[in-house]
Amino acid sequence: MVDVNVLERGVRRLEHAETLDRPAGAVVAAINKWLPAGRLEDALSGTDLGHPLHPLLVTVPIGAWVSAGFLDALGGTSARQAATKLVGLGALAAVPATLTGASDWADTLGAERRVGAVRAAVYAGSVL
């Protein structure tokens, strides 16, 4: 079982890890260069909807990949085609989820930016 206190202490250490500020700032500068403030950034952030899009969009790749995992584990060879399609759906759905997440993250500062940078790096490393 995972010790929640260990996880919480780890997150607190990340929140205070100022060594992350410089690389995170460089990535944010690149995002802001590619995605300057305006209509596109507002659309990606869900400004017009009054709700961030990223939390809504990440459910699609997560759901697709978890479902594919269950089909792989429990469905046998007859489920292989469906699992493959779900993996593809997850990959396609990850693109807008990543774009909306980058847009939201670029507007963060301090502890929130540091934790988000590590989260993005872990996610990027897991899909490569």
Side-chain angles (χ1 to χ4, degrees):
M1 183 175 269
V2 176
D3 184 356
V4 176
N5 292 327
V6 171
L7 294 175
E8 187 174 326
R9 283 193 304 270
V11 171
R12 296 291 172 248
R13 288 178 68 179
L14 288 176
E15 289 176 342
H16 297 287
E18 293 179 5
T19 57
L20 295 170
D21 290 347
R22 185 179 226 174
V27 175
V28 167
I31 291 169
N32 288 335
K33 184 176 181 182
W34 173 79
L35 184 64
R39 302 238 346 114
L40 180 58
E41 185 206 19
D42 287 348
L44 288 173
S45 294
T47 301
D48 293 338
L49 297 174
H51 189 283
L53 284 177
H54 181 69
L56 300 171
L57 294 181
V58 296
T59 61
V60 177
I62 291 170
W65 291 331
V66 168
S67 297
F70 277 112
L71 287 176
D72 281 342
L74 305 173
T77 56
S78 63
R80 185 174 296 150
Q81 186 177 14
T84 300
K85 287 180 181 180
L86 284 168
V87 169
L89 172 64
L92 288 174
V95 174
T98 301
L99 293 174
T100 57
S103 176
D104 289 349
W105 177 69
D107 292 334
T108 64
L109 296 169
E112 191 175 17
R113 181 177 287 180
R114 294 175 194 129
V115 173
V118 172
R119 178 177 169 242
V122 168
Y123 175 75
S126 71
V127 297
L128 296 178

